[in-house]
Amino acid sequence: MWSLAVASPHPAAAFAAARPRRRPRPAAAPSHRGVNPQRWRCEKTQAWSFWSSLRASDLPGGLYGDVSKNMLKPAAVEQAEASAHLPKGDMWSVHKFGGTCMGTSQRIQNVADIILRDPSERKLVVVSAMSKVTDMMYNLVNKAQSRDDSYITALDEVFEKHMAAAKDLLGGEDLARFLSQLHADVSNLKAMLRAICIAGHATESFSDFVVGHGEIWSAQLLSFAIKKSGTPCSWMDTREVLVVNPTGSNQVDPDYLESEKRLEKWFARLPAETIIATGFIASTPENIPTTLKRDGSDFSAAIIGSLVKAGQVTIWTDVDGVFSADPRKVSEAVILSTLSYQEAWEMSYFGANVLHPRTIIPVMKYNIPIVIRNMFNISAPGTMICQQPANESGDLEACVKAFATIDKLSLVNVEGTGMAGVPGTASAIFGAVKDVGANVIMISQASSEHSVCFAVPEKEVAAVSAALHVRFREALSAGRLSKVEVIHNCSILAAVGLKMASTPGVSATLFDALAKANINVRAIAQGCSEYNITVVLKQEDCVRALRAAHSRFFLSKTTLAVGIIGPGLIGRTLLNQLKDQAAVLKENMNIDLRVMGITGSRTMVLSDTGIDLAHWKEQLQTEAEPANLDKFVDHLSENQLFPNRVLVDCTADTTVASHYYDWLKKGIHVITPNKKANSGPLDKYLKLRTLQRASYTHYFYEATVGAGLPIISTLRGLLETGDKILRIEGIFSGTLSYIFNNFEGTRTFSDVVSEAKEAGYTEPDPRDDLSGTDVARKVIILARESGLKLELSDIPVRSLVPEALRSCSTADEYMQKLPSFDQDWARESKDAEAAGEVLRYVGVVDVVNKEGQVELRRYKKDHPFAQLSGSDNIIAFTTSRYKEQPLIVRGPGAGAEVTAGGVFSDILRLASYLGAPS
Ligand SMILES: NC(=O)C1=CN([C@@H]2O[C@H](COP(=O)(O)OP(=O)(O)OC[C@H]3O[C@@H](n4cnc5c(N)ncnc54)[C@H](O)[C@@H]3O)[C@@H](O)[C@H]2O)C=CC1
Ligand SMILES: N[C@@H](CC=O)C(=O)O
Ligand code: NA
């Protein structure tokens, strides 16, 4: 079972400590009167009427002989004389233990201990059969029906299972009594199954009668186990008490009045304080054995809880309570401490295995709280389902309690202008749907009335579509309806919460979370009951949608699946920074970054849950597979665990950059220090930016200019606040800055270039720096950011690569040959020095004249550009607001740590755009 998590503590959260406790009476006295111990009178027992209720016509002629007499004598009859005086004043505490809880003798003993620890004066415990027994019993009937003799050995197994449990649990007289009853039951069942085998058929009531023994034995075992400790305890065969009417389709309706009467009679005979009742089984008004069908023992507990007006019904299971979302899909799902009846109801409708709505109805009538608890983790307080006061806080998180999903649906869209204002269209549509017996999960119609869409289970959609085509044949051919369209492979995501719709912002937050995870919503429904908002989406997006919505409302971690392309200098430095900072981000900012893949140009490593960043290098050597960018991207985008995906391109590769458009289109965010996309062909750049602006997918590239320095963000800030950029001028190359800052005196030009390369300032190929191309790219990036439509080829560049070295085939060859030009550089530098000047390689974006320049210029020694050191960049923005004195950003503009830091801060910016605290 999984259930729901709680967003904020509710007064009822303290329930665990005081459980079970008195429940305030509902304001209006319920019309249905409960069992009143004062009114119980001793009446002549009717118990045997049930046991003789198997109709003669149901039994194969004569074979059963005296079956009813041989059956275990009901506890009611057996113990009728042993009536203690009735306790007064306190309410019943009703418990229900399912098959898993009653799975072994040890577990039955644990159940007994739980009951004994319950301080309530009156306890009524509903039990299922020991685990697997119900299936074993159905199997007996099936075998007998198909005339398979092995039902005999199968019945022996059932016998042995219970005998073994009894021997473990009981001793002395109790054991002997249980075993003799068990033996008698099994002999009767053997005779009955033999009859079924001969007839080759069992009626439903025969089958229900056989199967019900599982509950009878488990109730007896538990009652003996409790009695062993000296506490008086009776067992109740609920077939004597619960009366239900079959309502077709595997459902029954309890007859509360008749059940109450019978319960009173039962208590009149047996006014016990601790009662173990059989779950699942009941009888018809004609005393024919039946079961509660699919609603099972939970329903038994709820009906009995309502009959005795219990103080509380505790459903014991093997999970800690109701989760905020399916924990198999959302690892951060939390246990809800409280849920209203309506919320629990909605959740179970939307697929959460909380409690069947029918289980909630009987107890809801009397405001009886249901508590779901884990029998294997008694310390967990569980989830209390009760009537909750309206949430007055207006707090979004408190409004949305939980999320649930339903898969394998199809959306049917009936569309056409002929529907608007025509009464009866909806009735015709849903009449056709009803005729094929399909179950409509949700309906949505926009007020234009031009289309009605609804969701049905995938397996029913073909019949629905065919029926609609037949029903609307004329309207379709006359054009009054344009189409009956089926959209396959859909899922529903439902946000559930009592006070959602009256709190502004809930749906905005939900849809924003979905939009940011690039999830397309196909249809929406929200009733005015305000309990849920339902969205239909593509099934493949459903888990991501669930996670995105859950993390937004529950302030759980903003999770981000990261793919790193190019673990070179910047890539590996970034990976190190991520490793060092991950715990802090989780702790302080609720951001959970998972590197799901790292790819170089030859090999790649992928992970479903996140690569261990302390060992990625070894993994890339030992566990790697051949690099394949498509597979890498698919791996990231198909991961269901993390709704938000980002690719970080740390290469300098043009081909990698050419994929950004497709990635953004897939909803994958892109972050990069690679300048190729933004300085490549203008049309592609514009297409990329247009897509980015139109979508919720982000593309950040701060490190492409000035590395970690805030250049792009400063420019954006100026533009977005309405400033007008006139000119951007500066030293944009860390490498060239370093070279001209350090190339003085006796040092050779080639030595300083080698130092810059060693320091990690240069591009993978240092000729990109020396040729001025890198600066030109940055000028283009800033020019385009400022609105100029320039191509790289529009920028005249003075290359510092000597003509003779331009044809070098590799960077290494270039570096080797560079010293032969040191003389030329020494001369140029000396000339400048003689004039009291320095050489500086500058870039200019002249927005006024719509052009860019890249030049080697000489500046006086007192010019700000002459004051730099190391790999400093300096960028001066002259704008309408910063006209007299430009706005200047200065600092190291190249190097592994600062560049990786710039990329990292883009990742965090993305996380904050996705909802992480800023
Ligand atoms: N070094 C610096 O100070 C700064 C660098 N950048 C940019 O950072 C990027 C990375 O620079 P570095 O780390 O210094 O270069 P690098 O050469 O050390 O690393 C690049 C990595 O990408 C890999 N790679 C190349 N093509 C690939 C492909 N198609 N698929 C997968 N992997 C591929 C290479 O094998 C290498 O491991 C460049 O675009 C550079 O312009 C930006 C600002 C400053
Ligand atoms: N090679 C570049 C690195 C940053 O973009 C530079 O030297 O500035
Ligand atoms: Na920058």
Side-chain angles (χ1 to χ4, degrees):
M1 176 185 298
W2 71 274
S3 348
L4 328 178
V6 115
S8 71
H10 178 273
F15 75 92
R19 156 187 336 137
R21 59 183 184 180
R22 284 158 201 258
R23 163 182 52 85
R25 285 269 160 210
S31 57
H32 170 63
R33 300 266 345 255
V35 174
N36 180 351
Q38 316 298 336
R39 288 167 49 221
W40 292 340
R41 287 173 290 119
C42 269
E43 285 180 23
K44 195 160 165 272
T45 177
Q46 297 288 311
W48 287 101
S49 65
F50 163 73
W51 293 94
S52 51
S53 68
L54 285 173
R55 287 188 192 137
S57 58
D58 283 336
L59 303 173
L63 275 171
Y64 282 100
D66 217 0
V67 165
S68 62
K69 280 188 205 148
N70 291 333
M71 289 178 186
L72 176 65
K73 205 173 164 192
V77 175
E78 201 176 54
Q79 300 170 13
E81 299 88 345
S83 61
H85 77 274
L86 292 167
K88 296 181 184 72
D90 202 7
M91 283 184 186
W92 287 93
S93 169
V94 172
H95 295 262
K96 179 257 162 172
F97 292 88
T100 314
C101 299
M102 299 287 289
T104 61
S105 53
Q106 180 56 54
R107 289 186 185 174
I108 295 175
Q109 185 56 54
N110 294 347
V111 169
D113 295 341
I114 290 174
I115 299 306
L116 289 167
R117 279 199 298 269
D118 179 347
S120 309
E121 279 180 60
R122 283 179 280 171
K123 296 173 263 193
L124 202 153
V125 184
V126 176
V127 292
S128 301
M130 290 177 76
S131 66
K132 303 205 179 82
V133 167
T134 303
D135 286 345
M136 289 168 99
M137 303 302 277
Y138 275 121
N139 195 25
L140 293 177
V141 178
N142 291 340
K143 283 187 166 183
Q145 285 197 103
S146 46
R147 300 189 164 128
D148 173 352
D149 275 350
S150 64
Y151 75 83
I152 299 170
T153 43
L155 182 59
D156 289 343
E157 280 168 33
V158 172
F159 174 76
E160 270 150 31
K161 184 176 172 101
H162 289 87
M163 183 171 68
K167 283 185 174 165
D168 282 350
L169 276 169
L170 314 173
E173 216 176 287
D174 285 349
L175 177 62
R177 281 179 70 197
F178 176 82
L179 288 181
S180 99
Q181 301 288 12
L182 178 69
H183 204 272
D185 286 345
V186 168
S187 328
N188 285 327
L189 285 175
K190 205 169 269 177
M192 196 167 200
L193 288 163
R194 171 142 175 74
I196 293 173
C197 189
I198 290 168
H201 174 69
T203 61
E204 193 179 327
S205 49
F206 262 60
S207 167
D208 285 349
F209 175 76
V210 172
V211 171
H213 279 77
E215 273 72 15
I216 291 174
W217 295 325
S218 65
Q220 290 172 353
L221 275 174
L222 180 60
S223 86
F224 277 124
I226 288 176
K227 266 203 283 190
K228 199 172 62 177
S229 70
T231 303
C233 180
S234 304
W235 77 278
M236 174 192 282
D237 183 336
T238 44
R239 292 182 291 196
E240 294 173 55
V241 172
L242 289 189
V243 179
V244 296
N245 289 298
T247 53
S249 71
N250 209 19
Q251 263 191 12
V252 293
D253 274 345
D255 181 337
Y256 287 99
L257 282 177
E258 179 58 26
S259 300
E260 186 181 332
K261 276 189 208 150
R262 292 192 183 194
L263 187 62
E264 286 195 21
K265 284 179 188 162
W266 194 95
F267 276 116
R269 294 194 310 272
L270 225 131
E273 291 176 1
T274 302
I275 298 164
I276 314 301
T278 53
F280 187 51
I281 56 178
S283 64
T284 66
E286 298 79 32
N287 292 325
I288 294 176
T290 187
T291 67
L292 299 185
K293 314 294 175 204
R294 63 176 184 206
D295 307 332
S297 300
D298 289 349
F299 197 25
S300 306
I303 301 168
I304 291 179
S306 79
L307 290 175
V308 300
K309 309 293 183 303
Q312 177 172 299
V313 174
T314 308
I315 308 270
W316 292 89
T317 175
D318 56 359
V319 290
D320 283 352
V322 180
F323 282 92
S324 55
D326 185 341
R328 291 163 303 183
K329 295 176 181 166
V330 182
S331 54
E332 300 95 0
V334 286
I335 298 287
L336 296 168
S337 62
T338 61
L339 261 186
S340 71
Y341 296 117
Q342 290 86 349
E343 287 164 342
W345 196 328
E346 292 286 334
M347 286 303 289
S348 50
Y349 178 78
F350 287 105
N353 189 10
V354 184
L355 280 181
H356 193 278
R358 290 173 65 80
T359 306
I360 297 166
I361 297 168
V363 290
M364 190 172 158
K365 192 168 168 188
Y366 300 105
N367 287 346
I368 300 167
I370 305 178
V371 180
I372 296 180
R373 290 194 64 187
N374 189 353
M375 120 136 209
F376 305 100
N377 180 16
I378 309 270
S379 61
T383 300
M384 177 183 272
I385 301 170
C386 56
Q387 190 181 49
Q388 285 188 84
N391 160 40
E392 245 65 89
S393 74
D395 174 354
L396 290 189
E397 288 164 45
C399 293
V400 175
K401 279 290 187 66
F403 294 91
T405 55
I406 310 179
D407 286 335
K408 297 194 184 130
L409 299 178
S410 285
L411 204 53
V412 180
N413 183 33
V414 183
E415 202 170 308
T417 48
M419 291 200 302
V422 179
T425 310
S427 149
I429 292 172
F430 295 109
V433 176
K434 174 187 163 274
D435 289 348
V436 295
N439 182 27
V440 178
I441 315 267
M442 65 79 84
I443 304 171
S444 169
Q445 182 189 358
S447 61
S448 74
E449 298 186 37
H450 286 132
S451 82
V452 174
C453 79
F454 56 92
V456 291
E458 187 79 55
K459 61 181 189 318
E460 290 168 1
V461 77
V464 169
S465 168
L468 289 171
H469 276 99
V470 170
R471 175 66 187 75
F472 292 109
R473 188 181 294 132
E474 275 176 29
L476 284 163
S477 65
R480 279 179 282 120
L481 280 191
S482 56
K483 60 180 168 189
V484 173
E485 177 193 17
V486 173
I487 302 152
H488 294 281
N489 301 321
C490 292
S491 290
I492 276 180
L493 167 71
V496 171
L498 200 55
K499 291 294 289 175
M500 280 194 322
S502 58
T503 308
V506 177
S507 49
T509 307
L510 172 66
F511 291 116
D512 185 59
L514 297 178
K516 284 185 171 156
N518 197 44
I519 287 157
N520 188 31
V521 173
R522 303 298 308 244
I524 303 167
Q526 184 199 297
C528 28
S529 69
E530 311 187 1
Y531 302 150
N532 88 68
I533 300 173
T534 302
V535 294
V536 180
L537 13 96
K538 277 197 277 181
Q539 187 163 314
E540 67 200 61
D541 287 339
C542 188
V543 175
R544 274 194 321 112
L546 177 65
R547 295 179 60 85
H550 188 274
S551 71
R552 180 64 63 87
F553 280 97
F554 285 87
L555 253 196
S556 56
K557 297 182 172 48
T558 300
T559 48
L560 201 48
V562 185
I564 305 275
I565 307 171
L569 179 65
I570 304 304
R572 65 175 178 263
T573 309
L574 174 66
L575 284 163
N576 270 337
Q577 292 181 355
L578 288 172
K579 176 189 72 159
D580 294 344
Q581 194 64 4
V584 177
L585 290 177
K586 254 192 199 162
E587 182 62 27
N588 296 354
M589 298 179 72
N590 257 337
I591 297 172
D592 186 0
L593 297 177
R594 301 282 179 95
V595 177
M596 311 296 270
I598 302 173
T599 182
S601 43
R602 285 192 309 280
T603 56
M604 68 179 182
V605 56
L606 306 176
S607 160
D608 287 331
T609 50
I611 293 170
D612 174 1
L613 295 185
H615 299 107
W616 67 268
K617 273 188 211 150
E618 294 91 295
Q619 274 179 276
L620 205 51
Q621 275 157 11
T622 55
E623 292 165 35
E625 53 183 293
N628 176 333
L629 196 55
D630 288 341
K631 188 174 173 196
F632 185 81
V633 174
D634 286 349
H635 173 78
L636 189 77
S637 82
E638 282 160 13
N639 104 79
Q640 292 294 311
L641 287 179
F642 298 92
N644 307 304
R645 292 82 41 96
V646 58
L647 279 164
V648 184
D649 170 20
C650 294
T651 73
D653 196 78
T654 308
T655 313
V656 174
S658 70
H659 291 294
Y660 296 172
Y661 184 89
D662 293 335
W663 297 343
L664 291 177
K665 236 179 160 183
K666 284 187 175 162
I668 304 176
H669 309 285
V670 177
I671 289 174
T672 189
N674 180 357
K675 301 152 201 122
K676 298 295 160 53
N678 282 11
S679 59
L682 180 64
D683 56 340
K684 284 198 174 148
Y685 165 82
L686 291 174
K687 212 175 134 205
L688 182 63
R689 295 301 306 274
T690 307
L691 171 68
Q692 175 229 324
R693 288 203 180 106
S695 73
Y696 276 90
T697 318
H698 300 284
Y699 170 43
F700 296 145
Y701 42 84
E702 178 59 83
T704 56
V705 183
L709 296 180
I711 305 300
I712 304 285
S713 52
T714 301
L715 178 53
R716 283 263 178 102
L718 295 170
L719 288 166
E720 284 164 8
T721 58
D723 203 352
K724 261 186 86 163
I725 310 296
L726 303 174
R727 186 180 173 86
I728 307 168
E729 182 174 8
I731 291 175
F732 294 108
S733 168
T735 301
L736 297 179
S737 179
Y738 181 85
I739 291 170
F740 291 113
N741 294 339
N742 291 284
F743 171 48
E744 49 194 19
T746 55
R747 311 192 64 197
T748 66
F749 185 78
S750 58
D751 277 350
V752 185
V753 173
S754 298
E755 279 172 26
K757 189 170 189 303
E758 281 300 301
Y761 302 148
T762 64
E763 292 303 291
D765 183 340
R767 282 174 299 179
D768 283 344
D769 298 290
L770 274 294
S771 65
T773 310
D774 181 70
V775 175
R777 288 189 185 281
K778 290 165 177 165
V779 165
I780 279 290
I781 292 170
L782 295 180
R784 288 176 176 175
E785 203 73 27
S786 309
L788 301 188
K789 296 205 163 53
L790 295 177
E791 291 282 8
L792 193 58
S793 54
D794 293 331
I795 314 278
V797 178
R798 152 120 198 238
S799 174
L800 306 186
V801 180
E803 195 69 50
L805 296 189
R806 289 186 195 166
S807 56
C808 290
S809 56
T810 64
D812 286 347
E813 184 191 341
Y814 164 77
M815 292 300 286
Q816 275 163 22
K817 292 183 176 166
L818 194 58
S820 51
F821 294 87
D822 281 344
Q823 296 296 334
D824 299 349
W825 280 110
R827 202 175 314 119
E828 186 145 1
S829 168
K830 258 193 200 119
D831 286 354
E833 209 165 338
E837 291 173 341
V838 293
L839 292 170
R840 290 294 180 260
Y841 201 84
V842 294
V844 176
V845 180
D846 183 345
V847 181
V848 177
N849 295 305
K850 297 190 174 56
E851 59 184 34
Q853 298 132 22
V854 172
E855 287 168 354
L856 182 67
R857 289 188 186 159
R858 283 161 55 158
Y859 288 87
K860 288 286 172 208
K861 283 202 168 154
D862 58 353
H863 189 277
F865 286 8
Q867 316 294 315
L868 305 182
S869 61
S871 67
D872 277 1
N873 281 192
I874 183 166
I875 289 106
F877 296 90
T878 308
T879 73
S880 300
R881 293 176 192 155
Y882 295 93
K883 207 163 182 174
E884 304 307 322
Q885 292 291 329
L887 186 162
I888 290 178
V889 181
R890 177 191 152 168
E897 291 294 339
V898 294
T899 307
V903 178
F904 196 174
S905 85
D906 271 351
I907 297 178
L908 296 187
R909 187 147 62 104
L910 173 64
S912 110
Y913 277 36
L914 295 173
S918 53

